[in-house]
Amino acid sequence: MILHQLIDYETLRIIWWLLLGVLLIAFAVTDGFDLGTATLLPFVGKTDLERRVVINSIGPTWEGNQVWLILAGGAIFAAWPPLYAVSFSGFYLAMFAILFALILRPVGFKYRSKRDDATWRTAWDWALFVGGAVPSLIFGVAVGNVLQGVPFHFNDELRIFYEGTTLFELLNPFALLCGILSVAMLVMHGSAWLTLKTKGVVADRSRAYGKIAALATAVLFVLGGVALWAGIDGYHITSTVNPLGPSNPLAKTVAKVPGAWFDNYSSHHWMMLAPLLGIAGAAAAFVFMGARREIAAILATSLSIFGIIATVGLSMFPFILPSSVDPRSSLTVWDSSSSHMTLFIMLVVAVIFVPTVIAYTTWVYHVMWGKVDEKAIRDERGHAY
Protein backbone atom coordinates (compact mmCIF):
# COMPACT_ATOMS: atom_id res chain seq x y z
CA MET A 1 0.00 0.00 0.00
CA ILE A 2 1.30 3.45 -0.91
CA LEU A 3 2.11 5.40 2.25
CA HIS A 4 -0.18 8.35 1.55
CA GLN A 5 -3.14 6.00 1.16
CA LEU A 6 -2.89 5.08 4.84
CA ILE A 7 -5.02 8.16 5.50
CA ASP A 8 -8.05 8.44 3.25
CA TYR A 9 -8.94 11.62 1.36
CA GLU A 10 -11.92 12.48 3.56
CA THR A 11 -9.85 12.29 6.74
CA LEU A 12 -7.08 14.43 5.25
CA ARG A 13 -9.58 17.08 4.24
CA ILE A 14 -11.01 17.22 7.76
CA ILE A 15 -7.51 17.31 9.27
CA TRP A 16 -6.56 20.29 7.13
CA TRP A 17 -9.81 22.06 7.92
CA LEU A 18 -8.98 21.60 11.59
CA LEU A 19 -5.36 22.68 11.10
CA LEU A 20 -6.47 25.84 9.32
CA GLY A 21 -8.69 26.62 12.29
CA VAL A 22 -5.83 25.94 14.70
CA LEU A 23 -3.51 28.29 12.80
CA LEU A 24 -6.09 31.08 12.70
CA ILE A 25 -6.86 30.70 16.41
CA ALA A 26 -3.13 30.59 17.23
CA PHE A 27 -2.66 33.85 15.33
CA ALA A 28 -5.60 35.48 17.10
CA VAL A 29 -4.42 34.36 20.54
CA THR A 30 -0.75 35.31 20.09
CA ASP A 31 -0.64 38.27 17.72
CA GLY A 32 -4.12 39.24 18.89
CA PHE A 33 -2.79 40.72 22.12
CA ASP A 34 -0.19 42.61 20.07
CA LEU A 35 -2.96 44.16 17.99
CA GLY A 36 -5.03 44.88 21.09
CA THR A 37 -2.06 46.41 22.89
CA ALA A 38 -1.27 48.67 19.93
CA THR A 39 -4.92 49.76 19.80
CA LEU A 40 -4.76 50.69 23.49
CA LEU A 41 -1.39 52.44 23.28
CA PRO A 42 -2.58 56.10 23.07
CA PHE A 43 -5.12 55.55 25.85
CA VAL A 44 -3.32 53.54 28.54
CA GLY A 45 -0.04 55.42 28.16
CA LYS A 46 -0.29 59.14 28.98
CA THR A 47 3.41 59.98 29.15
CA ASP A 48 6.25 59.05 26.83
CA LEU A 49 7.71 56.66 29.38
CA GLU A 50 4.36 54.95 29.95
CA ARG A 51 3.93 54.44 26.22
CA ARG A 52 7.41 52.98 25.97
CA VAL A 53 6.44 50.53 28.68
CA VAL A 54 3.40 49.49 26.61
CA ILE A 55 5.47 49.12 23.43
CA ASN A 56 8.18 47.10 25.16
CA SER A 57 5.64 44.71 26.64
CA ILE A 58 5.13 43.31 23.12
CA GLY A 59 8.43 44.37 21.55
CA PRO A 60 10.33 41.06 22.03
CA THR A 61 7.57 38.75 20.74
CA TRP A 62 5.37 40.48 18.14
CA GLU A 63 7.47 39.40 15.15
CA GLY A 64 7.35 35.74 16.12
CA ASN A 65 3.62 35.93 16.67
CA GLN A 66 3.09 36.89 13.02
CA VAL A 67 4.44 33.48 12.00
CA TRP A 68 0.98 32.02 12.62
CA LEU A 69 -0.58 34.39 10.07
CA ILE A 70 2.07 33.43 7.51
CA LEU A 71 1.49 29.75 8.20
CA ALA A 72 -2.28 30.20 7.83
CA GLY A 73 -1.80 31.99 4.49
CA GLY A 74 0.54 29.24 3.31
CA ALA A 75 -1.90 26.55 4.40
CA ILE A 76 -4.72 28.22 2.46
CA PHE A 77 -2.51 28.53 -0.63
CA ALA A 78 -1.39 24.90 -0.60
CA ALA A 79 -4.35 23.03 0.91
CA TRP A 80 -7.28 25.09 -0.39
CA PRO A 81 -6.20 26.73 -3.72
CA PRO A 82 -9.69 27.93 -4.79
CA LEU A 83 -10.19 29.54 -1.37
CA TYR A 84 -6.86 31.34 -1.75
CA ALA A 85 -7.73 32.47 -5.28
CA VAL A 86 -11.16 33.83 -4.39
CA SER A 87 -10.33 35.44 -1.05
CA PHE A 88 -7.04 37.05 -2.06
CA SER A 89 -8.53 38.47 -5.26
CA GLY A 90 -12.01 39.37 -4.01
CA PHE A 91 -10.72 40.86 -0.76
CA TYR A 92 -7.70 42.44 -2.44
CA LEU A 93 -8.31 45.98 -1.23
CA ALA A 94 -9.09 44.78 2.28
CA MET A 95 -5.93 42.68 2.28
CA PHE A 96 -3.93 45.68 1.07
CA ALA A 97 -5.33 47.80 3.91
CA ILE A 98 -4.35 45.11 6.43
CA LEU A 99 -0.83 44.82 5.01
CA PHE A 100 -0.39 48.59 5.00
CA ALA A 101 -1.48 48.77 8.64
CA LEU A 102 0.76 45.86 9.63
CA ILE A 103 3.73 47.48 7.88
CA LEU A 104 3.23 50.55 10.09
CA ARG A 105 3.89 48.41 13.15
CA PRO A 106 7.57 47.49 12.62
CA VAL A 107 8.29 50.94 11.21
CA GLY A 108 6.66 52.53 14.25
CA PHE A 109 8.57 50.33 16.67
CA LYS A 110 11.92 51.08 15.03
CA TYR A 111 11.52 54.80 14.38
CA ARG A 112 9.35 56.08 17.23
CA SER A 113 12.18 56.70 19.70
CA LYS A 114 14.80 57.75 17.15
CA ARG A 115 14.05 61.40 17.85
CA ASP A 116 13.44 62.98 21.23
CA ASP A 117 10.55 65.05 19.93
CA ALA A 118 7.02 64.91 21.33
CA THR A 119 5.28 65.56 17.99
CA TRP A 120 7.36 62.90 16.24
CA ARG A 121 6.69 60.28 18.89
CA THR A 122 2.98 61.07 19.15
CA ALA A 123 2.61 60.67 15.39
CA TRP A 124 4.21 57.23 15.54
CA ASP A 125 2.06 56.29 18.53
CA TRP A 126 -1.05 56.91 16.44
CA ALA A 127 0.54 55.01 13.54
CA LEU A 128 0.93 52.06 15.90
CA PHE A 129 -2.71 52.51 16.91
CA VAL A 130 -3.69 52.24 13.24
CA GLY A 131 -1.46 49.18 12.93
CA GLY A 132 -3.47 47.52 15.67
CA ALA A 133 -7.01 48.77 15.15
CA VAL A 134 -7.32 48.52 11.36
CA PRO A 135 -6.36 44.83 11.03
CA SER A 136 -8.53 43.99 14.04
CA LEU A 137 -11.51 45.66 12.38
CA ILE A 138 -10.98 44.30 8.87
CA PHE A 139 -10.44 40.71 10.01
CA GLY A 140 -13.86 40.85 11.66
CA VAL A 141 -15.45 42.55 8.66
CA ALA A 142 -14.10 39.78 6.44
CA VAL A 143 -15.65 37.10 8.65
CA GLY A 144 -18.97 38.96 8.57
CA ASN A 145 -18.92 38.97 4.77
CA VAL A 146 -17.99 35.30 4.60
CA LEU A 147 -21.01 34.40 6.74
CA GLN A 148 -23.24 36.34 4.34
CA GLY A 149 -21.62 34.92 1.23
CA VAL A 150 -19.09 36.40 -1.17
CA PRO A 151 -20.08 37.49 -4.73
CA PHE A 152 -18.12 35.04 -6.88
CA HIS A 153 -18.90 32.17 -9.22
CA PHE A 154 -17.22 29.54 -11.40
CA ASN A 155 -17.90 29.01 -15.08
CA ASP A 156 -18.05 25.54 -16.62
CA GLU A 157 -14.26 25.55 -16.99
CA LEU A 158 -13.88 26.31 -13.27
CA ARG A 159 -12.55 29.80 -13.92
CA ILE A 160 -13.27 32.14 -11.00
CA PHE A 161 -15.18 35.39 -11.47
CA TYR A 162 -15.50 37.87 -8.61
CA GLU A 163 -18.47 40.22 -9.00
CA GLY A 164 -17.78 42.61 -6.15
CA THR A 165 -16.93 46.19 -6.96
CA THR A 166 -15.60 48.34 -4.13
CA LEU A 167 -14.19 48.01 -0.63
CA PHE A 168 -17.17 49.91 0.76
CA GLU A 169 -19.67 47.19 -0.16
CA LEU A 170 -17.86 45.00 2.36
CA LEU A 171 -18.72 47.53 5.08
CA ASN A 172 -22.35 46.45 5.44
CA PRO A 173 -24.09 46.56 8.85
CA PHE A 174 -23.60 42.91 9.81
CA ALA A 175 -19.96 42.92 8.70
CA LEU A 176 -19.32 46.10 10.69
CA LEU A 177 -20.91 44.46 13.74
CA CYS A 178 -18.47 41.56 13.33
CA GLY A 179 -15.64 44.04 12.86
CA ILE A 180 -16.46 45.91 16.07
CA LEU A 181 -16.73 42.55 17.87
CA SER A 182 -13.26 41.67 16.60
CA VAL A 183 -11.84 44.97 17.87
CA ALA A 184 -13.49 44.52 21.29
CA MET A 185 -12.26 40.93 21.53
CA LEU A 186 -8.64 41.83 20.76
CA VAL A 187 -8.70 44.93 22.97
CA MET A 188 -9.93 42.67 25.78
CA HIS A 189 -7.04 40.30 25.06
CA GLY A 190 -4.51 43.13 24.82
CA SER A 191 -5.73 44.54 28.12
CA ALA A 192 -5.24 41.18 29.81
CA TRP A 193 -1.72 41.04 28.39
CA LEU A 194 -0.89 44.52 29.68
CA THR A 195 -2.16 43.72 33.18
CA LEU A 196 0.13 40.68 33.09
CA LYS A 197 3.20 42.52 31.76
CA THR A 198 3.02 46.00 33.34
CA LYS A 199 2.66 47.67 36.71
CA GLY A 200 1.15 50.79 38.22
CA VAL A 201 -1.08 53.20 36.33
CA VAL A 202 -0.59 51.47 32.96
CA ALA A 203 -1.86 48.20 34.39
CA ASP A 204 -4.71 49.99 36.17
CA ARG A 205 -5.86 51.76 33.00
CA SER A 206 -5.53 48.53 31.02
CA ARG A 207 -7.67 46.73 33.58
CA ALA A 208 -10.40 49.37 33.29
CA TYR A 209 -10.44 49.22 29.50
CA GLY A 210 -10.27 45.44 29.58
CA LYS A 211 -13.38 45.12 31.72
CA ILE A 212 -15.31 47.34 29.31
CA ALA A 213 -14.00 45.38 26.31
CA ALA A 214 -14.91 42.06 27.95
CA LEU A 215 -18.51 43.15 28.46
CA ALA A 216 -18.62 44.53 24.91
CA THR A 217 -17.27 41.25 23.54
CA ALA A 218 -19.94 39.16 25.25
CA VAL A 219 -22.78 41.51 24.26
CA LEU A 220 -21.64 41.94 20.64
CA PHE A 221 -21.14 38.20 20.24
CA VAL A 222 -24.71 37.54 21.36
CA LEU A 223 -26.02 40.33 19.13
CA GLY A 224 -24.13 38.85 16.19
CA GLY A 225 -25.76 35.49 16.79
CA VAL A 226 -29.22 37.06 16.99
CA ALA A 227 -28.59 39.02 13.77
CA LEU A 228 -27.37 35.86 12.04
CA TRP A 229 -30.47 33.97 13.11
CA ALA A 230 -32.97 36.70 12.33
CA GLY A 231 -31.73 38.29 9.13
CA ILE A 232 -29.08 36.26 7.30
CA ASP A 233 -29.63 33.10 5.31
CA GLY A 234 -27.25 30.20 5.74
CA TYR A 235 -26.28 27.61 3.13
CA HIS A 236 -27.29 23.98 2.88
CA ILE A 237 -26.10 21.27 0.45
CA THR A 238 -29.15 19.68 -1.15
CA SER A 239 -27.40 17.06 -3.30
CA THR A 240 -25.41 13.95 -2.44
CA VAL A 241 -21.95 14.67 -1.07
CA ASN A 242 -18.92 12.52 -1.87
CA PRO A 243 -16.20 13.31 0.71
CA LEU A 244 -13.73 11.17 -1.27
CA GLY A 245 -14.46 12.75 -4.65
CA PRO A 246 -12.30 15.10 -6.72
CA SER A 247 -12.39 18.81 -6.01
CA ASN A 248 -15.12 20.32 -8.17
CA PRO A 249 -17.32 22.97 -6.55
CA LEU A 250 -19.91 22.68 -9.32
CA ALA A 251 -20.61 18.99 -8.64
CA LYS A 252 -23.26 19.82 -6.04
CA THR A 253 -26.38 21.87 -5.52
CA VAL A 254 -26.79 24.36 -2.68
CA ALA A 255 -29.77 26.25 -1.30
CA LYS A 256 -29.85 29.36 0.86
CA VAL A 257 -31.97 28.57 3.92
CA PRO A 258 -32.90 30.85 6.85
CA GLY A 259 -31.19 29.67 10.03
CA ALA A 260 -29.02 27.11 8.22
CA TRP A 261 -25.89 28.28 10.04
CA PHE A 262 -27.43 26.87 13.23
CA ASP A 263 -28.22 23.41 11.83
CA ASN A 264 -24.95 21.85 12.99
CA TYR A 265 -25.75 22.75 16.59
CA SER A 266 -29.08 20.96 16.34
CA SER A 267 -27.41 17.85 14.94
CA HIS A 268 -24.35 17.88 17.19
CA HIS A 269 -25.12 19.34 20.58
CA TRP A 270 -21.48 19.19 21.72
CA MET A 271 -20.74 22.05 19.31
CA MET A 272 -22.63 24.38 21.64
CA LEU A 273 -19.48 24.35 23.75
CA ALA A 274 -17.87 26.81 21.29
CA PRO A 275 -20.32 29.74 21.66
CA LEU A 276 -20.61 29.04 25.38
CA LEU A 277 -16.82 29.37 25.69
CA GLY A 278 -16.95 32.60 23.72
CA ILE A 279 -19.40 34.15 26.19
CA ALA A 280 -18.14 32.50 29.37
CA GLY A 281 -14.53 33.38 28.57
CA ALA A 282 -15.36 37.07 28.19
CA ALA A 283 -17.42 37.02 31.39
CA ALA A 284 -14.63 35.27 33.29
CA ALA A 285 -12.11 37.80 31.93
CA PHE A 286 -14.26 40.62 33.36
CA VAL A 287 -14.27 38.93 36.77
CA PHE A 288 -10.59 38.00 36.81
CA MET A 289 -9.46 41.47 35.73
CA GLY A 290 -11.47 42.99 38.53
CA ALA A 291 -9.94 40.49 40.97
CA ARG A 292 -6.42 41.24 39.64
CA ARG A 293 -5.87 37.60 38.73
CA GLU A 294 -3.66 38.29 35.75
CA ILE A 295 -2.83 34.81 34.47
CA ALA A 296 -6.43 33.65 34.87
CA ALA A 297 -7.59 36.74 32.96
CA ILE A 298 -5.43 36.11 29.91
CA LEU A 299 -6.38 32.43 29.90
CA ALA A 300 -10.03 33.51 29.97
CA THR A 301 -9.58 35.93 27.06
CA SER A 302 -7.78 33.19 25.11
CA LEU A 303 -10.69 30.80 25.72
CA SER A 304 -13.12 33.48 24.56
CA ILE A 305 -11.17 33.97 21.33
CA PHE A 306 -11.06 30.21 20.80
CA GLY A 307 -14.81 29.93 21.34
CA ILE A 308 -15.73 32.83 19.07
CA ILE A 309 -13.58 31.69 16.14
CA ALA A 310 -14.57 28.04 16.59
CA THR A 311 -18.23 29.09 16.56
CA VAL A 312 -17.85 30.50 13.06
CA GLY A 313 -16.05 27.43 11.75
CA LEU A 314 -18.46 24.94 13.29
CA SER A 315 -21.50 26.91 12.14
CA MET A 316 -20.35 26.92 8.54
CA PHE A 317 -19.00 23.36 8.25
CA PRO A 318 -18.62 21.94 5.64
CA PHE A 319 -18.68 25.32 3.91
CA ILE A 320 -15.47 27.34 3.78
CA LEU A 321 -16.49 30.20 1.49
CA PRO A 322 -20.14 30.43 0.36
CA SER A 323 -21.10 32.27 -2.81
CA SER A 324 -23.88 34.85 -2.57
CA VAL A 325 -24.48 35.05 -6.36
CA ASP A 326 -24.26 31.35 -7.23
CA PRO A 327 -24.68 29.09 -4.17
CA ARG A 328 -23.59 26.07 -6.23
CA SER A 329 -20.13 27.66 -6.57
CA SER A 330 -19.69 27.77 -2.80
CA LEU A 331 -16.46 26.20 -1.58
CA THR A 332 -16.69 23.36 0.91
CA VAL A 333 -14.28 21.06 2.71
CA TRP A 334 -15.17 18.28 0.26
CA ASP A 335 -14.75 20.06 -3.08
CA SER A 336 -12.05 22.75 -2.81
CA SER A 337 -8.95 21.02 -1.47
CA SER A 338 -5.68 20.04 -3.10
CA SER A 339 -5.02 16.46 -4.13
CA HIS A 340 -4.77 13.53 -1.74
CA MET A 341 -0.98 13.34 -2.22
CA THR A 342 -0.50 17.09 -1.66
CA LEU A 343 -2.49 17.09 1.58
CA PHE A 344 -0.54 14.08 2.84
CA ILE A 345 2.88 15.60 2.09
CA MET A 346 1.82 18.85 3.73
CA LEU A 347 0.61 16.93 6.78
CA VAL A 348 4.02 15.28 7.16
CA VAL A 349 5.68 18.70 6.95
CA ALA A 350 3.21 20.17 9.45
CA VAL A 351 3.78 17.33 11.92
CA ILE A 352 7.50 18.16 11.86
CA PHE A 353 7.49 21.95 11.84
CA VAL A 354 4.38 23.06 13.78
CA PRO A 355 5.63 21.46 17.03
CA THR A 356 9.00 23.09 16.34
CA VAL A 357 7.35 26.51 16.10
CA ILE A 358 5.36 25.84 19.27
CA ALA A 359 8.47 24.72 21.17
CA TYR A 360 10.49 27.75 20.06
CA THR A 361 7.65 30.14 20.85
CA THR A 362 7.23 28.60 24.29
CA TRP A 363 10.95 29.01 24.97
CA VAL A 364 10.86 32.67 23.88
CA TYR A 365 7.97 33.46 26.21
CA HIS A 366 9.77 31.65 29.04
CA VAL A 367 12.91 33.74 28.50
CA MET A 368 10.94 36.99 28.21
CA TRP A 369 8.68 36.26 31.20
CA GLY A 370 8.28 39.05 33.73
CA LYS A 371 6.91 42.55 33.96
CA VAL A 372 8.12 45.63 32.12
CA ASP A 373 8.33 48.75 34.27
CA GLU A 374 9.57 52.30 33.87
CA LYS A 375 12.82 51.62 35.71
CA ALA A 376 13.67 48.82 33.31
CA ILE A 377 13.07 51.13 30.34
CA ARG A 378 15.30 53.85 31.77
CA ASP A 379 18.07 51.38 32.61
CA GLU A 380 18.14 49.99 29.07
CA ARG A 381 19.70 53.26 27.82
CA GLY A 382 18.51 53.12 24.26
CA HIS A 383 18.28 49.35 23.86
CA ALA A 384 14.56 49.33 24.60
CA TYR A 385 12.01 50.63 22.10
Coordinates of all heavy atoms in Angstrom, one line a residue, residues 80-87 152 154 160 248-249 252 254 316 318-323 326-336:
W80 N -6.0 24.7 0.1 CA -7.3 25.1 -0.4 C -7.1 26.1 -1.5 O -7.4 27.3 -1.3 CB -8.1 25.7 0.7 CG -8.2 24.8 2.0 CD1 -7.5 25.0 3.1 CD2 -9.0 23.7 2.2 NE1 -7.8 24.0 4.0 CE2 -8.7 23.2 3.5 CE3 -9.9 23.0 1.4 CZ2 -9.3 22.1 4.0 CZ3 -10.5 21.8 1.9 CH2 -10.2 21.4 3.2
P81 N -6.5 25.8 -2.7 CA -6.2 26.7 -3.7 C -7.4 27.6 -4.2 O -7.2 28.8 -4.4 CB -5.7 25.9 -4.9 CG -5.2 24.6 -4.2 CD -6.1 24.4 -3.0
P82 N -8.6 27.0 -4.4 CA -9.7 27.9 -4.8 C -10.0 29.0 -3.7 O -10.4 30.1 -4.0 CB -10.9 27.0 -5.0 CG -10.2 25.6 -5.3 CD -9.0 25.6 -4.4
L83 N -9.9 28.6 -2.5 CA -10.2 29.5 -1.4 C -9.2 30.7 -1.4 O -9.5 31.8 -1.3 CB -10.1 28.8 0.0 CG -10.2 29.7 1.2 CD1 -11.5 30.4 1.3 CD2 -10.0 28.8 2.5
Y84 N -7.9 30.3 -1.6 CA -6.9 31.3 -1.7 C -7.1 32.3 -2.9 O -7.0 33.5 -2.8 CB -5.5 30.7 -1.9 CG -4.3 31.6 -2.0 CD1 -3.7 32.0 -0.8 CD2 -3.9 32.1 -3.2 CE1 -2.6 32.8 -0.9 CE2 -2.8 33.0 -3.3 CZ -2.2 33.3 -2.1 OH -1.1 34.2 -2.2
A85 N -7.5 31.7 -4.1 CA -7.7 32.5 -5.3 C -8.9 33.4 -5.1 O -8.8 34.6 -5.5 CB -8.0 31.5 -6.5
V86 N -10.0 33.0 -4.5 CA -11.2 33.8 -4.4 C -10.9 34.9 -3.3 O -11.2 36.1 -3.6 CB -12.4 33.0 -4.0 CG1 -13.6 33.9 -3.7 CG2 -12.8 32.0 -5.2
S87 N -10.4 34.5 -2.2 CA -10.3 35.4 -1.1 C -9.3 36.5 -1.3 O -9.5 37.7 -1.0 CB -10.1 34.7 0.3 OG -8.9 33.9 0.2
F152 N -19.0 35.6 -5.9 CA -18.1 35.0 -6.9 C -18.8 33.8 -7.5 O -19.8 33.3 -6.9 CB -16.8 34.6 -6.3 CG -16.9 33.4 -5.4 CD1 -16.7 32.1 -5.9 CD2 -17.3 33.5 -4.1 CE1 -16.8 31.0 -5.1 CE2 -17.4 32.3 -3.2 CZ -17.1 31.1 -3.8
F154 N -18.1 30.3 -10.4 CA -17.2 29.5 -11.4 C -18.0 29.4 -12.7 O -19.2 29.2 -12.7 CB -16.9 28.2 -10.9 CG -15.9 28.2 -9.7 CD1 -16.5 28.2 -8.4 CD2 -14.6 28.1 -9.8 CE1 -15.6 28.2 -7.3 CE2 -13.7 28.1 -8.7 CZ -14.3 28.2 -7.5
I160 N -12.6 31.4 -12.1 CA -13.3 32.1 -11.0 C -13.6 33.6 -11.5 O -12.7 34.2 -12.1 CB -12.4 32.2 -9.8 CG1 -12.1 30.8 -9.3 CG2 -13.0 33.0 -8.7 CD1 -11.0 30.7 -8.2
N248 N -14.3 19.7 -7.1 CA -15.1 20.3 -8.2 C -16.3 21.0 -7.5 O -17.3 20.3 -7.2 CB -15.6 19.3 -9.2 CG -16.4 20.0 -10.3 OD1 -16.6 21.2 -10.3 ND2 -16.9 19.2 -11.3
P249 N -16.2 22.3 -7.3 CA -17.3 23.0 -6.5 C -18.7 22.9 -7.3 O -19.7 23.0 -6.6 CB -16.8 24.4 -6.5 CG -15.3 24.3 -6.6 CD -15.1 23.2 -7.5
K252 N -22.3 19.9 -7.1 CA -23.3 19.8 -6.0 C -24.3 20.9 -6.3 O -24.2 21.8 -7.1 CB -22.6 20.1 -4.7 CG -22.0 21.5 -4.5 CD -21.4 21.7 -3.2 CE -20.9 23.1 -3.0 NZ -19.9 23.6 -4.0
V254 N -26.7 23.7 -4.0 CA -26.8 24.4 -2.7 C -28.0 25.3 -2.6 O -28.3 26.0 -3.6 CB -25.5 25.2 -2.4 CG1 -25.6 25.9 -1.1 CG2 -24.3 24.2 -2.4
M316 N -20.4 27.0 10.0 CA -20.4 26.9 8.5 C -20.0 25.5 8.0 O -20.3 25.3 6.8 CB -19.3 27.9 8.0 CG -19.6 29.4 8.3 SD -18.4 30.5 7.6 CE -18.3 30.0 5.9
P318 N -19.9 22.1 6.3 CA -18.6 21.9 5.6 C -18.2 23.1 4.7 O -17.3 23.0 4.0 CB -18.8 20.7 4.8 CG -20.3 20.7 4.4 CD -21.0 21.4 5.6
F319 N -19.0 24.2 4.8 CA -18.7 25.3 3.9 C -17.4 26.1 4.4 O -17.2 26.2 5.6 CB -19.9 26.3 3.8 CG -21.0 25.8 3.1 CD1 -22.1 25.1 3.7 CD2 -21.1 26.0 1.7 CE1 -23.1 24.6 3.0 CE2 -22.2 25.5 1.0 CZ -23.2 24.8 1.7
I320 N -16.6 26.5 3.5 CA -15.5 27.3 3.8 C -15.7 28.8 3.3 O -15.4 29.7 4.0 CB -14.2 26.7 3.2 CG1 -13.9 25.3 3.7 CG2 -13.0 27.6 3.5 CD1 -12.7 24.7 3.1
L321 N -16.2 28.9 2.1 CA -16.5 30.2 1.5 C -17.7 30.1 0.6 O -17.7 29.7 -0.5 CB -15.3 30.7 0.7 CG -15.4 32.2 0.2 CD1 -15.3 33.1 1.4 CD2 -14.3 32.5 -0.8
P322 N -18.9 30.5 1.1 CA -20.1 30.4 0.4 C -20.2 31.5 -0.7 O -19.6 32.6 -0.5 CB -21.2 30.6 1.4 CG -20.6 31.3 2.5 CD -19.1 30.9 2.5
S323 N -20.9 31.3 -1.7 CA -21.1 32.3 -2.8 C -22.5 32.9 -2.7 O -23.5 32.1 -2.7 CB -20.9 31.6 -4.2 OG -21.3 32.5 -5.2
D326 N -24.1 32.7 -6.7 CA -24.3 31.3 -7.2 C -24.0 30.3 -6.1 O -22.8 29.8 -6.0 CB -23.4 31.1 -8.4 CG -23.5 29.7 -9.1 OD1 -24.6 29.1 -8.9 OD2 -22.6 29.3 -9.7
P327 N -24.9 30.0 -5.3 CA -24.7 29.1 -4.2 C -24.0 27.8 -4.6 O -23.2 27.2 -3.8 CB -26.1 28.8 -3.6 CG -26.8 30.1 -3.9 CD -26.3 30.5 -5.3
R328 N -24.2 27.3 -5.8 CA -23.6 26.1 -6.2 C -22.1 26.2 -6.3 O -21.3 25.2 -6.1 CB -24.1 25.7 -7.6 CG -23.7 24.3 -8.1 CD -24.3 23.9 -9.4 NE -23.9 24.8 -10.5 CZ -23.5 24.4 -11.7 NH1 -23.5 23.1 -12.0 NH2 -23.1 25.2 -12.6
S329 N -21.6 27.4 -6.5 CA -20.1 27.7 -6.6 C -19.5 27.7 -5.2 O -18.2 27.9 -5.1 CB -19.9 29.0 -7.3 OG -20.2 28.9 -8.7
S330 N -20.3 27.7 -4.2 CA -19.7 27.8 -2.8 C -18.6 26.7 -2.6 O -18.7 25.6 -3.1 CB -20.8 27.6 -1.8 OG -21.8 28.6 -1.9
L331 N -17.6 27.1 -1.9 CA -16.5 26.2 -1.6 C -16.7 25.5 -0.3 O -17.1 26.1 0.7 CB -15.2 27.0 -1.5 CG -14.8 27.8 -2.7 CD1 -13.5 28.6 -2.5 CD2 -14.7 27.0 -4.0
T332 N -16.5 24.2 -0.3 CA -16.7 23.4 0.9 C -15.4 22.5 1.2 O -14.5 22.5 0.4 CB -17.9 22.4 0.8 OG1 -17.5 21.3 -0.1 CG2 -19.1 23.1 0.3
V333 N -15.4 21.9 2.3 CA -14.3 21.1 2.7 C -14.1 19.9 1.7 O -13.0 19.5 1.4 CB -14.5 20.5 4.1 CG1 -13.5 19.4 4.5 CG2 -14.5 21.6 5.2
W334 N -15.2 19.5 1.1 CA -15.2 18.3 0.3 C -14.8 18.6 -1.2 O -14.5 17.6 -1.9 CB -16.5 17.6 0.3 CG -17.1 17.4 1.7 CD1 -18.3 17.8 2.1 CD2 -16.5 16.8 2.8 NE1 -18.5 17.5 3.4 CE2 -17.4 16.9 3.9 CE3 -15.2 16.2 3.0 CZ2 -17.1 16.4 5.1 CZ3 -14.9 15.7 4.3 CH2 -15.8 15.8 5.3
D335 N -14.9 19.8 -1.6 CA -14.7 20.1 -3.1 C -13.8 21.2 -3.4 O -13.8 21.7 -4.5 CB -16.1 20.3 -3.7 CG -16.8 21.5 -3.1 OD1 -16.2 22.4 -2.6 OD2 -18.1 21.6 -3.2
S336 N -12.9 21.6 -2.5 CA -12.1 22.8 -2.8 C -10.6 22.5 -2.3 O -9.9 23.5 -2.2 CB -12.6 24.1 -2.2 OG -12.8 24.0 -0.8

